[in-house]
């Protein structure tokens, strides 16, 4: 039995003995290749089945095989045999063991293959270690041989000398260390001196050097404490640098800033310094804006100190807005000046450092800084504009005086210019808010100006204002700031160019702000009143035409009335000056904010239109006799009708108060148009009309400049129509106003009555003219004498006298034609008498009339000649001369055809048909 067990054990030993080939040997490679081929073939044929079977076999292996490396597996298997041996059972167990052995062998080979590379690396390391050990052994042998040689050759004295040298070396090292420690301990004092001298770069360099030098001596307690102190000093120095950097936002110092940037460069924090700089500028805008606003706010309205900036702006009183805005603008200007200088410094530094392109870090830093200064100005300007807008547009500017509003508008205009130069920003939001606010304020102001003019017209005494002879609107203080622009435009006759007159910013750039100047553009934003010298103080109100030399006409024996050649001051009233001042104020707004120029120019034209309408209304309210209807101008009447329909409130009763319509002025008791004692207010009439004409001449001086303010063809055309129609028609108001006085002053009814008594059927040709001619001339001379006494303080210039004579000419022609038409019958001698009377009258009138020939003379002559026409030509003449009235044409027909009833009836019917058409 024992022998049988021994044989089984030997059999198991032989079967289970695993021959592990050496790694790297040929057998290992052959076996590996064979096994790998076999495994690959099996995996391809029946991969799933093999994996499942291998897993089952491995799971059946007893755990005891894996517990210990010295496990006797043969003894373990033999002990598992039963007492009665079964050959088949033993064969089955042997088969299972073999299968398990193959599987384990396969996985072992797979693991060996997977870890072959790591094994090769370990073998290389082992080889290197062997080489290092060999080298170390050689060094040890060399050192041992040297020691043996020294033992034989060096004496005791030599060894002592070497020992002393070693001690000396140690002592020198110790002395150097002590000196280094001493220098480290003195660093703090030297650092304070450098910082106080603003030499931050050397201070930082010293701190870094000391920190690096203290690292080898950290084992000493004092040096360890010093290292901590140096680190704290470095942090404090950085804080001091940051404080100085923040001060650069208000007062930029080129030397200090250079030192700060050098210090940050030594710290390696160039980018951080730029970020901190921009943060300080942003903080400076916010902090200074709050501090400035708090100086002007009404403390009663402020609930707490944590109010937002917009709420604080609402607490600023209206009377403090302009001082607050100027103070805030000056501070912002200083900040922008500083930022501009900082950007210029970095731009110059970048140009200098372009040679060091090999320094990649420096190049990257400069690119980072350039990008920061490309974005930074826009952001900084955005913060500033937000603060300005909150302050200005949170206030109620509709209650501002015009000069105050103009000052605010000027400041906003300068901010827009600054933004354009600082960062090429159009400040569109600010422009839009400014335009919206300006339009709202201006239309309210314009409505108030029209209301004010209504009061002026109702209370105007219509007396001349004593101004100097050379007076024009440019001498008023309202035109002082824009005088050069207007005169330059007018003198050069510039054509309107819409591309050059106005850009998208709608801002005038004739005066520009430059950052190169240290002077703030807001230093002069205070209300300044300029003295204007327009009144003629050398003559009083009674000396304008009081003596013979200054009189406007000469009193001769034949009552010759002519204008002298002396230069006289213009006739204008206080209302005229007020209108011109309003125009100057309007143009100031255009000069500052051109985007609303079209609205302003329209309102400026309305001032003249209302002046024209008011003078026409006040001085043509008395009824004009039908006989003098020829003095009316159709063009003038159409202009008055248009103004009434578009501007006067009586035609727009249902309109709101926001509309620009204005009520008509009402003539007060001081204006007596029916009083014959003062020649029906002839003096007031002349002053009113001539002041209007003078105002029209002043408007013409502005024509070229106004044209440059407009941007559209429609607006330019409307302006041209205004000058061609409204302004040009002002002179036409002379005849209807003066004609009313003439019709009331001259007793033309008496003349007509005398003409009806003349016998036009005389048989003999008369050698003397009729008596009504002398009476008519006497009335004219009497009128001019009364005119002279009624206008002692008024200079009647040539245009006034010509207008009076033109109105007289209308009356003369109408009276003669009307008187001749009253003749029911007329002989040939009577027709000659008509010709004689009119010729005699004209010969007398030409001696005193400055106009030769007298206007409308040919109208009377043609009418007289019609009495000589044959009946056959009378039809054509009647058809061609429709300027005469129906009554006057009928009188000619009756006189010419008095002996031919048939022709008379035919021509009368023809006249009736023409009248119906």
């Amino acid at each position: 039995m024992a022998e049988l067990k021994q044989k089984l054990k030997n059999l198991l030993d032989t079967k289970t003995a695993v021959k592990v080939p050496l790694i790297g040997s040929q057998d290992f490679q052959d076996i590996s290749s064979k096994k790998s081929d076999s495994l690959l073939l099996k995996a391809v044929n029946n991969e799933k089945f093999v994996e499942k079977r291998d897993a089952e076999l491995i799971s059946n292996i007893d755990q005891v095989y894996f517990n210990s490396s010295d496990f006797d597996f043969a003894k373990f298997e033999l002990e598992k045999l039963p007492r009665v041996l079964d050959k088949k059972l033993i064969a089955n167990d042997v088969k299972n063991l073999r299968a398990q052995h193959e599987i384990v062998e396969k996985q072992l080979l797979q693991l060996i293959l997977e870890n072959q590379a790591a094994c090769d690396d370990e073998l290389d390391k082992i080889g290197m270690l062997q080489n290092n050990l060999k080298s170390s052994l050689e060094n040890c042998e060399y050192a041992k041989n040297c020691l043996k040689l020294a033992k034989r050759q060096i004496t005791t004295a030599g060894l002592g000398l070497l020992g002393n040298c070693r001690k000396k070396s140690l002592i020198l090292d110790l002395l150097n260390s002590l000196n280094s420690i001493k220098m480290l301990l003195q660093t703090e004092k030297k650092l304070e001196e450098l910082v106080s001298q603003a030499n931050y770069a050397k201070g930082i360099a010293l701190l870094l050097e000391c920190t690096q030098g203290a690292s080898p001596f950290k084992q000493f307690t004092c040096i360890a404490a010093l290292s901590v102190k140096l680190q704290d000093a470095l942090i404090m120095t950085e804080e001091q640098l940051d404080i100085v950097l923040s001060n650069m936002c208000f007062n930029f110092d080129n030397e200090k800033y250079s030192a700060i940037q050098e210090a940050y460069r030594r710290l390696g924090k160039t980018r951080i310094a730029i970020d901190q700089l921009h943060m300080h500028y942003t903080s400076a805008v916010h902090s200074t804006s709050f501090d400035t606003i708090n100086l002007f706010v009404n403390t009663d309205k402020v609930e707490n100190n944590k109010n937002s900036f917009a709420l604080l702006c609402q607490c600023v009183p209206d009377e403090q807005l302009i001082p607050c805005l100027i103070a805030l603008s000056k501070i912002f200007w200083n900040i922008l000046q500083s930022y501009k200088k900082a950007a210029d410094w970095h731009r110059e530094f970048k140009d200098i450092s372009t040679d060091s392109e090999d320094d990649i870090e420096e190049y990257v830093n400069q690119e980072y800084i350039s990008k920061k200064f490309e974005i930074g100005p826009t952001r900084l300007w955005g913060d500033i504009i937000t603060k300005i807008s909150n302050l200005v547009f949170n206030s109620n500017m509709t209650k501002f005086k015009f000069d105050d509003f103009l000052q605010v508008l000027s400041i906003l205009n300068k901010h827009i210019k600054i933004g354009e130069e600082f960062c090429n920003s159009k400040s569109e939001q600010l422009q839009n808010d400014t335009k919206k606010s300006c339009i709202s304020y201006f239309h309210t102001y314009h409505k108030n100006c029209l209301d004010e003019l209504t009061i002026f017209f109702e209370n105007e005494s219509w007396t001349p204002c004593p101004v100097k002879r050379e007076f024009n609107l440019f001498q008023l203080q309202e035109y002082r700031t824009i005088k050069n622009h207007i005169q330059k435009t007018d003198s050069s006759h510039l054509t309107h160019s819409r591309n050059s007159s106005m850009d998208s910013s709608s801002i005038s750039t004739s005066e520009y702000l430059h950052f190169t100047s240290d002077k703030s553009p807001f230093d002069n934003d205070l209300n300044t009143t300029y003295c204007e010298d327009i009144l003629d103080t050398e003559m009083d109100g009674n000396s304008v035409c009081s003596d013979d030399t200054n009189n406007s006409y000469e009193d001769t024996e034949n009552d010759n009335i002519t204008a002298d050649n002396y230069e006289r001051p213009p006739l204008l009233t206080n209302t005229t000056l007020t209108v011109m001042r309003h125009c100057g104020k309007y143009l100031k707004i255009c000069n500052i904010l051109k985007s609303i120029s079209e609205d302003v120019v329209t309102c400026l034209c309305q001032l003249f239109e209302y002046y024209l309408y008011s003078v026409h209304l006040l001085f043509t309210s008395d009824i004009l006799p039908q006989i003098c209807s020829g003095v009316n101008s159709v063009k003038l009447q159409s202009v008055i009708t248009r103004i009434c329909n578009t501007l006067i409130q009586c035609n727009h009763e249902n309109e709101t108060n926001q509309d620009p319509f204005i009520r008509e002025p009402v003539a007060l008791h001081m204006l007596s148009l029916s009083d014959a004692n003062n020649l029906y207010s002839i003096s007031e009439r002349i002053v009113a009309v001539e002041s209007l004409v003078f105002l029209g001449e002043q408007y013409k001086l502005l024509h070229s400049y106004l044209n440059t303010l407009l941007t559209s063809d429609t607006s330019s055309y409307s302006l041209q129509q205004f000058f061609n129609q409204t302004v040009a028609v002002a002179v036409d108001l002379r005849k209807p106003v003066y004609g009313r006085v003439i019709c009331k002053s001259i007793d033309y009814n008496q003349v007509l009555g005398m003409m009806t008594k003349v016998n036009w059927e005389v048989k003999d040709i008369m050698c003397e003219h009729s008596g009504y001619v002398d009476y008519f001339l006497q009335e004219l001379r009497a009128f001019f004498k009364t005119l002279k006494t009624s206008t002692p303080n008024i200079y009647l210039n040539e245009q006034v006298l010509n207008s009076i004579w033109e109105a007289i000419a209308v009356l003369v022609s109408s009276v003669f034609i009307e008187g001749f038409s009253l003749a029911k019958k007329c002989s040939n001698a009577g027709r000659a008498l008509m010709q004689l009377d009119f010729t005699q009258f004209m010969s007398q009138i030409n001696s005193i009339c400055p106009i030769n020939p007298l206007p409308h003379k040919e109208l009377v002559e043609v009418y007289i000649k019609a009495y000589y026409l044959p009946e056959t030509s009378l039809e054509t003449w009647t058809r061609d001369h429709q300027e005469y009235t129906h009554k006057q044409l009928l009188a000619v027909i009756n006189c010419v055809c008095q002996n031919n009833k048939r022709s008379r009836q035919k021509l009368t019917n023809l006249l009736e048909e023409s009248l119906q058409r």
Side-chain angles (χ1 to χ4, degrees), residues 11-236:
L11 179 60
L12 290 173
D13 291 338
T14 57
K15 296 295 183 182
T16 58
V18 180
K19 296 182 180 179
V20 179
L22 293 175
I23 299 174
S25 64
Q26 185 66 31
D27 294 337
F28 176 78
Q29 294 178 358
D30 294 339
I31 294 172
S32 299
S33 61
K34 290 179 180 180
K35 293 297 180 179
S36 61
D37 293 340
S38 176
L39 292 174
L40 181 60
L41 181 61
K42 290 179 181 180
V44 171
N45 294 332
N46 198 3
E47 183 176 357
K48 293 183 180 180
F49 175 76
V50 172
E51 289 179 356
K52 183 177 180 181
R53 188 193 64 181
D54 293 347
E56 292 178 353
L57 290 175
I58 291 176
S59 62
N60 292 331
I61 298 176
D62 291 332
Q63 189 65 28
V64 295
Y65 282 96
F66 305 103
N67 292 337
S68 176
S69 59
D70 55 354
F71 172 67
D72 191 355
F73 55 85
K75 183 179 178 181
F76 174 73
E77 292 294 335
L78 290 175
E79 289 177 351
K80 288 172 58 178
L81 294 175
R83 292 184 179 278
V84 179
L85 298 176
D86 188 354
K87 184 176 180 181
K88 292 181 179 181
L89 181 61
I90 293 172
N92 188 29
D93 291 340
V94 170
K95 182 178 178 181
N96 291 334
L97 289 173
R98 287 177 178 174
Q100 291 174 355
H101 179 269
E102 290 179 358
I103 292 171
V104 172
E105 181 183 13
K106 181 180 69 174
Q107 291 190 358
L108 178 62
L109 289 175
Q110 186 175 356
L111 291 174
I112 291 173
L113 289 174
E114 291 176 355
N115 295 295
Q116 184 177 358
C119 183
D120 293 339
D121 293 339
E122 291 296 329
L123 289 176
D124 292 338
K125 291 180 181 179
I126 292 172
M128 292 175 63
L129 182 61
Q130 289 178 350
N131 293 331
N132 291 334
L133 291 174
K134 183 178 179 181
S135 177
S136 299
L137 181 61
E138 292 176 354
N139 291 333
C140 290
E141 290 180 353
Y142 177 74
K144 187 177 180 181
N145 293 331
C146 290
L147 289 174
K148 289 181 180 180
L149 179 62
K151 185 177 180 181
R152 292 195 303 267
Q153 295 180 354
I154 298 176
T155 60
T156 304
L159 292 175
L161 183 61
L162 290 176
N164 291 334
C165 289
R166 180 174 177 273
K167 290 180 181 180
K168 180 181 178 181
S169 178
L170 293 174
I171 292 172
L172 289 175
D173 292 340
L174 178 60
L175 182 62
N176 292 333
S177 298
L178 292 175
N179 288 330
S180 300
I181 293 172
K182 181 179 179 181
M183 291 179 62
L184 291 175
L185 293 175
Q186 295 176 351
T187 300
E188 184 177 3
K189 183 177 180 180
K190 189 173 182 181
L191 179 63
E192 291 178 356
E193 293 178 358
L194 292 175
V195 172
S196 63
Q197 296 173 1
N199 197 345
Y200 303 107
K202 287 187 178 180
I204 295 295
L206 178 62
L207 274 174
L208 294 176
E209 182 181 354
C210 292
T211 302
Q212 185 178 3
S215 58
F217 308 106
K218 288 184 178 180
Q219 66 272 18
F220 300 105
T221 304
C222 63
I223 299 301
L226 180 62
S227 298
V228 175
K229 197 171 183 180
L230 289 175
Q231 189 66 31
D232 294 340
L234 183 61
I235 295 174
M236 292 179 63

Side-chain angles (χ1 to χ4, degrees), residues 782-851:
F783 167 75
F784 279 104
K785 287 182 179 180
T786 307
L787 177 64
K788 180 178 180 180
T789 57
S790 300
T791 58
N793 302 326
I794 298 177
Y795 162 61
L796 302 182
N797 56 32
E798 183 178 358
Q799 291 77 16
V800 175
L801 291 176
N802 289 342
S803 299
I804 293 175
W805 275 109
E806 288 176 3
I808 291 175
V810 173
L811 177 63
V812 167
S813 62
S814 300
V815 169
F816 270 100
I817 295 174
E818 184 68 18
F820 292 153
S821 68
L822 295 176
K824 296 180 180 181
K825 295 181 180 181
C826 184
S827 63
N828 292 331
R831 293 166 187 149
L833 180 59
M834 290 181 181
Q835 186 71 36
L836 175 63
D837 290 345
F838 186 69
T839 302
Q840 181 65 25
F841 180 86
M842 292 305 302
S843 64
Q844 293 291 329
I845 205 71
N846 286 335
S847 63
I848 60 175
C849 178
I851 305 176

Side-chain angles (χ1 to χ4, degrees), residues 415-480:
H415 277 291
I416 294 174
K417 291 180 182 179
I418 290 172
E420 189 171 353
E421 182 180 359
F422 181 68
C423 59
N424 293 326
S425 173
K426 300 298 181 181
S427 306
E428 294 180 355
Q429 186 61 41
L430 179 61
Q431 285 196 50
N432 294 334
D433 293 340
T434 303
K435 180 179 179 180
K436 181 179 178 181
S437 178
C438 188
I439 290 176
S440 176
Y441 177 87
F442 177 73
H443 283 293
T444 303
Y445 178 76
H446 176 61
K447 183 66 165 58
N448 294 333
C449 289
L450 291 176
D451 292 335
E452 179 186 353
L453 286 180
T454 303
I455 299 174
F456 267 84
F457 284 126
E458 293 177 344
N459 296 275
E460 178 63 65
S461 61
W462 302 107
T463 56
C465 182
V467 296
K468 293 187 175 181
R469 297 177 180 179
E470 66 277 5
F471 171 76
N472 57 31
L473 54 81
F474 296 125
Q475 297 176 9
L476 298 175
Q477 65 175 357
E478 285 78 8
Y479 295 86
R480 183 176 296 271

Side-chain angles (χ1 to χ4, degrees), residues 548-773:
D548 294 337
T549 58
N550 290 334
N551 215 342
S552 60
Y553 34 75
E554 299 176 359
D555 187 10
T556 60
E557 293 181 356
N558 56 358
D559 295 318
N560 185 19
I561 302 175
T562 58
D564 59 29
N565 295 323
Y566 294 101
E567 183 181 0
R568 300 292 181 175
L571 289 177
L572 69 157
T573 63
N574 288 329
T575 306
T576 314
L577 288 175
T578 301
V579 173
M580 289 191 290
R581 292 187 190 277
H582 286 323
C583 293
K585 292 178 180 179
Y586 287 11
L587 292 179
K588 281 184 179 180
I589 294 182
C590 291
N591 189 53
I592 296 175
L593 189 63
K594 285 190 175 181
S595 58
I596 67 166
S597 294
E598 294 188 3
D599 293 349
V600 174
V601 171
T602 301
C603 293
L604 188 141
C605 295
Q606 288 179 356
L607 292 177
F608 185 85
E609 290 176 345
Y610 186 60
Y611 198 107
L612 172 63
Y613 180 86
S614 299
V615 173
H616 180 273
L617 175 68
L618 295 176
F619 293 97
T620 60
S621 58
D622 44 343
I623 300 175
L624 183 68
Q626 182 64 30
I627 197 171
C628 293
S629 59
V631 297
N632 286 328
S633 170
V634 177
K635 186 177 180 181
L636 172 63
Q637 193 59 43
S638 64
V639 171
I640 294 299
T641 303
R642 177 183 59 80
I643 296 174
C644 182
N645 294 332
T646 58
L647 189 63
I648 304 305
Q649 193 175 10
C650 63
N651 294 327
H652 305 274
E653 296 178 355
N654 296 326
E655 302 292 342
T656 61
N657 293 331
Q658 296 179 353
D659 294 313
F661 302 108
I662 189 68
R663 68 178 179 86
E664 292 181 344
V666 179
L668 300 181
H669 63 279
M670 65 181 63
L671 192 60
S672 301
L673 301 181
S674 59
D675 188 2
N677 295 327
N678 60 1
L679 200 59
Y680 307 100
S681 299
I682 184 62
S683 177
E684 289 80 358
R685 292 175 188 264
I686 293 175
V687 172
V689 175
E690 296 309 312
S691 65
L692 173 65
V693 174
F694 176 77
L695 182 61
E697 294 174 354
Q698 302 308 299
Y699 264 73
K700 292 178 182 178
L701 297 178
L702 303 174
H703 187 186
S704 300
Y705 179 71
L706 294 178
N707 200 37
T708 61
L709 298 176
L710 303 178
T711 59
S712 63
D713 294 334
T714 304
S715 300
S716 298
Y717 177 77
S718 299
L719 180 65
Q720 189 64 37
Q721 289 296 102
F722 167 75
F723 277 96
N724 292 341
Q725 297 179 1
T726 308
V727 176
V729 85
V731 295
D732 293 345
L733 190 59
R734 285 170 170 161
K735 286 201 296 183
V737 173
Y738 302 156
R740 282 169 166 78
V741 177
I742 293 169
C743 291
K744 292 180 180 181
S745 302
I746 298 175
D747 190 4
Y748 64 89
N749 289 321
Q750 181 65 24
V751 176
L752 291 175
M754 295 175 68
M755 293 180 73
T756 57
K757 296 178 181 180
V758 176
N759 183 14
W760 303 109
E761 290 185 296
V762 294
K763 296 180 180 180
D764 298 327
I765 298 176
M766 306 295 291
C767 60
E768 292 185 2
H769 60 273
S770 303
Y772 71 88
V773 175

Side-chain angles (χ1 to χ4, degrees), residues 522-540:
F522 306 100
D523 291 338
N524 297 327
D525 278 312
L526 297 174
N527 286 330
T528 304
T529 303
Y530 299 97
C531 295
E532 56 183 18
D533 184 17
I534 63 174
L535 298 179
D536 192 353
T537 58
E538 295 182 357
M539 63 179 179
D540 54 23

